[in-house]
Amino acid sequence: MKPYKLMCSLFGHTADVKSLCSTRDNGGFVSVSRDLSAKMWIPSEQSSNQYVQSQVINTHKKYVNSVAILYTLKEYPNGLIITGSNDQTIAFHDIQANRVISQFIAHDGPVCTLNIDNSSKENLLFSGSFDCTAKVWNLNDLVRNDFKLSPVITIKGHDLTVWDVLSINQEGILLTASADKSIKHWLINANNKSAECLLKYVGHSDCVRGLTLNKQNDQEFFSCSNDGQIIQWRLGHSTPLQTIRVTDSFLYSLNCFNQNGSCYVISSSEDRSLRIHSIVKSYNELVQTIVLPCQTLWKAIHLANDNLVVACSDGTIRLFTQKEALMASSQEMQEFERELSQFAIPVKTNQEMSKINLNKLPGVEALLTPGKRDGQNLIINNQNEAEVYQWDINESKWIKIGVAVGSSEAGGGQRQKVNYMGKEYDYVFDIELDEGAKLKLPYNLTEDPYHAAQNFIYQHDLSQHFLDQIAQFLIQNTESQVIGSTNQSTGFYDPLTGANRYVPSSFETNKSSFGAVDPFTGSNAYTTSKLEKKQLKHSNEYYPHTSFLIFDQFNLEPIFKKIREFYAQNDNFINDVEKMMKNQFNSTLFENLFELINQLPQEKLFPFIDLIRITVLDQDAVNYIVREQSSDKHEDQLQNRYFQILYRHVCENHPVNSMLVMRIFCNLFNCLNRLDMNKKLLSLLINERKSLFNFILKLSGTSNKTLQISCSTLVLNFSVLNPKLVDLNSPNYTISFCSDLLLEQVEFINNEVLCKRIVNWDHEAIFRMLVSFANLLNNIPNELDKEYLLSVAKSLDNFVELCRRICSDQQKYAKKVSQCSKYLVALFD
């Protein structure tokens, strides 16, 4: 195959170009974009390698995601352009009249994909949506039904978004690809309005994004996925013919074409690369990799004139050709290569480059050694700049494709800023939402990730349930050093309440068991010693942290979906509880929730416990829990009934339930922002502190990250409470009591067993424990004996040894963990 080179770049759109569809005219195509438009392009009469817009469609109110063209409807011989949008509508545009003839609500979610087989005379349109369904539409009814359509068949069989549909009409076959990681094979009968699932193809480990038919063998097809793989399948057989590992990034689309008797598949991806694979039976060869100066290639298709066209996230459409006469001018090529070479590649978001060390990179002399395969990457140090090159096997040379920027951990150099909308940022990310929309999110390291995520949600009018996803993306892909605001759940992705999924099975179960250890007595009993007087650093970028952290993000829809699955026998009760969650607290229903978690088996409890986690954010719910509690501090008070019920579900063998219970206790601190109104709650938490710390110690051996973070958050909240108790100036919480309480927490954090386990925790969980300890030592109220408290902490050196261990192996830990450890070590050395 002759190599493809740049033909031209088209700048007709102002936002991501999401999809493409070829016209029957030689070389024409239609593009759709996030700028709400669809555009038809035809070759220019003035220049053989340029295109012009022939029609523009502006009928949608939200992003346009998908497009197809129908030529077989006799009333419209010049064709209909069909577009699907995030506004849930499908629109029909008459090419000859250049006008929209029909538009209607088609799905209950964004229309992700459209497909028509113009070789068939049945005139069936197939659509897939974020609403988890595929639909079949008979377009013969379009005219006779006054341009209004109802689906002939609604196919329900996937649990998540239907990203692509592929019709093989002569066989009556429809394939649907879904975010639930599966492809389903349906037998469609439009006359009988039936769809029967004949087979489920399972081979991908992530969302299946694209499908294409093998143009040399119509009994085979290809699929691509977020897992970076292409799988070749034979229709009717669930075992893959071959799996092609393409990239570590998402693959978004596939397109198959024949050329000179050979079969080729082109793929587009999140890693900026257009790849061309040669397919011979069940063998493959990567014949060309083309890197583009934009982050995402949403779609790539082969045109009838053998050119390739690519839909790009920077709003540009780029065409590539094999014909030398059609190739871009040398000036255009140079500009393309300049854009390519200056593209900033954040090392923190690129797996291959995430561990580069500038001082250990080869110099420019490495470019003299030929690459071993097409698309091979090479990073060199050119005058203290990490340049990224890729081997072009057709040109037999290294092509510069960008500059690695972003991490001070990657080599000690200064971070390069990224320019966006006239301002400089540390990062500019592409945030892809569940519905397929992709937006730019600029971010500086000085920002709180949750604050940045919330502003982003407000700016783009997004659902609040995206908050955790976006904030977690920022945290994972930057050097974030801030714990955050009081409503933060930093450092982890919550699979129970984030996105549109409710999948607790993603939690690992730790089978080990650990006996109870008293954290306040025994081998760790302290002895006083003289501590050299020194000027303490009372604050830095990490501590003191003075606000409670809670877990207040939720999405009720998947929670109640799971509840109905587990407890279908009482639908009226479930409906009543759902109304309570959306409206006003109801003590009877709340009481029934606790009764229910006493009855159900452990594996079915988590959605009900999660409802309690959400409900206790309500002051009325807290008042109900503590209604029989005394506001006085009495160690011998009757145990709280609701706490005892929750305690029964804290154990190492059920980390999901344990994690949710610990979050309930964390969320109770939300009401302690108003101590004067919640003296009963304060009394309850103070009286239960030893039980709670004992549970944390028992659970400390877990490998479950979210459980680790929940436990460390509870410890952190108690450390935040101490100064507030002193300020309360209550006879129940004397100076002596507050001093003893602080010492208890210092001793607990220094527990030998706990410290040995903490070192293997998730970095965010370790960080919260570090800040907890720092709070205890650096936020001591003036009324307490600081010298004495610090002398006790000095004598208990388990936690300080943990900090020293982190400092000695700092490359293993997140920057904020190692830096905070250094501060604490300096306090004692």
Side-chain angles (χ1 to χ4, degrees):
M1 185 194 78
K2 291 183 178 179
Y4 279 89
K5 292 188 177 181
L6 181 68
M7 176 178 168
C8 66
S9 299
L10 306 178
F11 304 100
H13 289 288
T14 58
D16 296 52
V17 185
K18 291 302 300 289
S19 192
L20 302 161
C21 182
S22 61
T23 66
R24 66 182 175 188
D25 300 319
N26 192 27
F29 63 91
V30 177
S31 61
V32 296
S33 168
R34 272 190 51 235
D35 64 9
L36 317 188
S37 74
K39 299 190 176 187
M40 187 173 181
W41 303 83
I42 59 173
S44 170
E45 295 180 356
Q46 282 73 37
S47 178
S48 58
N49 71 341
Q50 293 295 321
Y51 277 73
V52 295
Q53 297 177 28
S54 64
Q55 295 189 21
V56 179
I57 305 168
N58 289 307
T59 187
H60 289 289
K61 296 180 180 179
K62 292 187 178 181
Y63 309 149
V64 191
N65 297 320
S66 49
V67 60
I69 303 179
L70 176 70
Y71 287 110
T72 55
L73 202 60
K74 63 181 181 180
E75 291 87 353
Y76 299 96
N78 290 316
L80 289 175
I81 297 173
I82 308 171
T83 52
S85 168
N86 275 22
D87 62 15
Q88 305 179 7
T89 69
I90 294 176
F92 296 81
H93 178 89
D94 180 4
I95 293 176
Q96 182 174 357
N98 191 14
R99 66 183 181 91
V100 174
I101 61 169
S102 179
Q103 184 174 5
F104 51 83
I105 297 290
H107 283 272
D108 293 328
V111 183
C112 305
T113 181
L114 296 169
N115 181 251
I116 286 174
D117 186 352
N118 278 294
S119 65
S120 169
K121 302 298 181 182
E122 293 188 16
N123 294 329
L124 297 180
L125 169 68
F126 303 88
S127 61
S129 169
F130 188 67
D131 66 9
C132 309
T133 70
K135 293 188 178 184
V136 184
W137 311 82
N138 189 338
L139 300 187
N140 292 315
D141 296 334
L142 189 63
V143 177
R144 58 176 174 256
N145 288 348
D146 195 26
F147 302 102
K148 295 179 181 178
L149 278 181
S150 295
V152 177
I153 307 170
T154 297
I155 300 172
K156 298 180 179 179
H158 288 289
D159 297 325
L160 296 169
T161 302
V162 177
W163 281 116
D164 203 7
V165 292
L166 176 64
S167 62
I168 310 172
N169 279 334
Q170 65 271 26
E171 303 289 343
I173 293 171
L174 178 70
L175 302 176
T176 54
S178 172
D180 64 13
K181 307 177 187 178
S182 74
I183 304 162
K184 290 195 173 181
H185 180 134
W186 306 87
L187 181 62
I188 302 297
N189 189 320
N191 294 325
N192 294 336
K193 300 184 177 181
S194 65
E196 179 185 1
C197 184
L198 302 180
L199 187 64
K200 183 178 180 180
Y201 303 90
V202 178
H204 288 291
S205 59
D206 208 333
C207 306
V208 187
R209 300 297 292 258
L211 302 168
T212 189
L213 191 67
N214 188 333
K215 291 298 178 68
Q216 282 197 335
N217 183 346
D218 61 9
Q219 293 302 304
E220 294 178 1
F221 69 96
F222 302 89
S223 61
C224 69
S225 165
N226 281 5
D227 63 13
Q229 298 184 132
I230 297 173
I231 297 182
Q232 183 178 0
W233 306 87
R234 184 167 181 80
L235 284 171
H237 298 266
S238 59
T239 303
L241 293 172
Q242 67 169 323
T243 299
I244 307 169
R245 181 68 195 179
V246 179
T247 175
D248 291 324
S249 297
F250 295 172
L251 287 175
Y252 290 122
S253 77
L254 294 176
N255 192 236
C256 185
F257 66 95
N258 288 330
Q259 190 178 94
N260 300 324
S262 298
C263 177
Y264 297 95
V265 171
I266 54 176
S267 62
S268 65
S269 71
E270 181 70 20
D271 65 1
R272 308 167 54 205
S273 298
L274 172 70
R275 293 177 175 88
I276 307 173
H277 308 264
S278 172
I279 306 294
V280 181
K281 294 185 178 179
S282 58
Y283 301 95
N284 75 89
E285 179 186 1
L286 178 63
V287 295
Q288 189 175 2
T289 303
I290 303 173
V291 181
L292 278 67
C294 64
Q295 185 59 55
T296 305
L297 282 55
W298 285 114
K299 185 85 170 180
I301 63 172
H302 174 265
L303 300 177
N305 58 8
D306 271 341
N307 294 331
L308 304 181
V309 58
V310 187
C312 302
S313 60
D314 60 359
T316 306
I317 301 167
R318 293 178 172 92
L319 285 95
F320 296 86
T321 185
Q322 295 169 306
K323 302 178 180 69
E324 191 169 343
L326 298 180
M327 291 177 185
S329 67
S330 58
Q331 183 178 353
E332 290 172 313
M333 273 304 186
Q334 289 173 6
E335 176 61 22
F336 178 77
E337 291 176 1
R338 186 193 66 79
E339 288 183 59
L340 200 61
S341 67
Q342 294 182 355
F343 192 88
I345 306 171
V347 299
K348 295 282 281 186
T349 58
N350 185 293
Q351 181 174 338
E352 186 172 346
M353 293 181 283
S354 60
K355 298 180 181 180
I356 65 171
N357 186 320
L358 187 62
N359 298 322
K360 295 182 180 181
L361 292 177
V364 292
E365 67 278 359
L367 300 177
L368 300 176
T369 304
K372 296 180 179 179
R373 56 180 172 79
D374 190 68
Q376 177 185 344
N377 283 346
L378 173 67
I379 310 171
I380 69 167
N381 182 346
N382 187 4
Q383 298 181 346
N384 289 323
E385 185 171 70
E387 296 181 344
V388 187
Y389 288 79
Q390 190 168 90
W391 180 251
D392 186 327
I393 197 169
N394 296 296
E395 295 287 332
S396 295
K397 69 177 184 179
W398 292 101
I399 305 294
K400 185 179 178 183
I401 62 170
V403 179
V405 299
S407 176
S408 60
E409 298 173 54
Q414 287 291 106
R415 174 181 300 279
Q416 295 190 28
K417 294 284 189 176
V418 181
N419 191 282
Y420 178 71
M421 301 293 286
K423 295 182 179 180
E424 288 189 336
Y425 295 91
D426 291 316
Y427 297 94
V428 177
F429 290 112
D430 286 316
I431 299 294
E432 184 186 358
L433 309 181
D434 291 338
E435 58 192 31
K438 192 167 186 180
L439 306 174
K440 297 290 184 184
L441 171 52
Y443 179 73
N444 282 316
L445 292 175
T446 54
E447 294 181 79
D448 178 283
Y450 271 76
H451 181 71
Q454 187 62 69
N455 286 341
F456 180 75
I457 286 172
Y458 289 151
Q459 179 184 357
H460 295 285
D461 193 26
L462 302 177
S463 168
Q464 191 64 31
H465 84 260
F466 286 124
L467 179 65
D468 267 346
Q469 288 176 275
I470 297 170
Q472 172 60 11
F473 179 88
L474 292 174
I475 293 162
Q476 288 180 345
N477 291 285
T478 66
E479 300 162 358
S480 181
Q481 303 171 349
V482 183
I483 289 185
S485 58
T486 56
N487 67 344
Q488 170 188 354
S489 49
T490 311
F492 66 95
Y493 168 65
D494 181 354
L496 294 179
T497 57
N500 289 312
R501 304 184 64 188
Y502 196 65
V503 191
S505 59
S506 62
F507 287 89
E508 296 177 12
T509 301
N510 192 314
K511 298 295 182 184
S512 346
S513 95
F514 302 93
V517 180
D518 185 350
F520 306 109
T521 60
S523 61
N524 278 342
Y526 71 84
T527 56
T528 60
S529 63
K530 190 173 181 180
L531 180 68
E532 183 182 349
K533 206 167 184 177
K534 61 166 64 180
Q535 184 67 34
L536 297 178
K537 183 174 182 180
H538 288 283
S539 65
N540 52 45
E541 63 267 44
Y542 306 118
Y543 57 78
H545 185 79
T546 58
S547 56
F548 300 120
L549 298 188
I550 60 174
F551 300 90
D552 62 349
Q553 302 303 311
F554 60 89
N555 183 5
L556 291 177
E557 183 178 349
I559 295 176
F560 278 100
K561 181 179 180 181
K562 188 60 68 175
I563 285 175
R564 288 187 170 91
E565 177 186 330
F566 287 165
Y567 195 64
Q569 63 265 40
N570 196 337
D571 200 49
N572 289 335
F573 168 71
I574 296 173
N575 290 336
D576 290 341
V577 173
E578 189 169 17
K579 289 178 183 176
M580 177 189 75
M581 299 302 295
K582 295 178 179 178
N583 296 294
Q584 190 171 2
F585 174 76
N586 182 300
S587 60
T588 302
L589 293 173
F590 189 59
E591 184 73 36
N592 290 340
L593 276 178
F594 274 94
E595 292 297 334
L596 197 58
I597 67 172
N598 253 346
Q599 302 168 13
L600 291 175
Q602 287 282 352
E603 63 271 14
K604 293 186 177 181
L605 286 179
F606 60 88
F608 299 96
I609 300 176
D610 207 14
L611 285 183
I612 296 173
R613 171 190 69 87
I614 300 166
T615 308
V616 298
L617 294 168
D618 188 324
Q619 180 70 61
D620 290 337
V622 172
N623 291 343
Y624 184 77
I625 289 174
V626 301
R627 66 189 185 281
E628 297 177 1
Q629 187 80 19
S630 169
S631 60
D632 294 330
K633 173 183 62 63
H634 297 299
E635 300 289 348
D636 57 350
Q637 280 197 56
L638 291 175
Q639 292 181 321
N640 184 277
R641 172 175 172 269
Y642 304 100
F643 271 45
Q644 296 309 306
I645 293 174
L646 293 173
Y647 286 162
R648 294 182 195 131
H649 305 294
V650 179
C651 63
E652 301 94 326
N653 294 331
H654 295 283
V656 178
N657 295 342
S658 300
M659 176 270 295
L660 290 171
V661 169
M662 300 310 285
R663 289 186 178 188
I664 290 173
F665 295 133
C666 289
N667 282 0
L668 287 171
F669 281 83
N670 182 52
C671 288
L672 293 186
N673 286 309
R674 303 178 300 278
L675 277 179
D676 56 327
M677 296 172 55
N678 286 279
K679 292 180 180 178
K680 288 185 176 182
L681 173 62
L682 176 61
S683 172
L684 176 59
L685 287 170
I686 292 296
N687 291 339
E688 294 292 334
R689 68 189 185 279
K690 292 186 179 182
S691 296
L692 293 172
F693 285 155
N694 266 316
F695 279 120
I696 291 172
L697 188 59
K698 288 180 182 180
L699 296 171
S700 62
T702 182
S703 60
N704 186 292
K705 294 181 180 181
T706 53
L707 178 52
Q708 294 167 1
I709 292 171
S710 298
C711 290
S712 63
T713 303
L714 185 56
V715 175
L716 178 59
N717 282 349
F718 270 105
S719 77
V720 171
L721 179 61
N722 290 317
K724 299 180 186 294
L725 276 182
V726 176
D727 292 341
L728 192 60
N729 197 23
S730 166
N732 288 323
Y733 305 106
T734 63
I735 296 299
S736 174
F737 175 81
C738 292
S739 181
D740 290 342
L741 184 65
L742 190 150
L743 281 175
E744 281 184 2
Q745 294 174 58
V746 169
E747 292 175 11
F748 169 69
I749 293 178
N750 272 279
N751 180 275
E752 183 177 6
V753 174
L754 183 64
C755 288
K756 286 180 179 179
R757 293 172 178 171
I758 288 174
V759 75
N760 297 313
W761 275 12
D762 172 79
H763 291 184
E764 180 63 30
I766 297 175
F767 181 58
R768 294 188 183 195
M769 291 298 287
L770 291 169
V771 174
S772 301
F773 191 58
N775 269 353
L776 297 173
L777 301 182
N778 282 273
N779 199 24
I780 302 173
N782 293 327
E783 293 84 349
L784 303 188
D785 188 341
K786 297 181 183 181
E787 290 287 326
Y788 172 68
L789 293 172
L790 287 168
S791 68
V792 173
K794 175 91 173 182
S795 68
L796 302 172
D797 61 356
N798 287 322
F799 198 81
V800 177
E801 285 303 315
L802 166 69
C803 295
R804 291 192 178 100
R805 182 175 172 182
I806 292 172
C807 293
S808 65
D809 196 11
Q810 58 183 321
Q811 297 300 322
K812 179 181 175 182
Y813 297 93
K815 182 179 179 182
K816 63 181 181 181
V817 174
S818 57
Q819 193 65 46
C820 193
S821 297
K822 288 179 183 178
Y823 285 143
L824 287 170
V825 170
L827 181 64
F828 287 89
D829 289 345

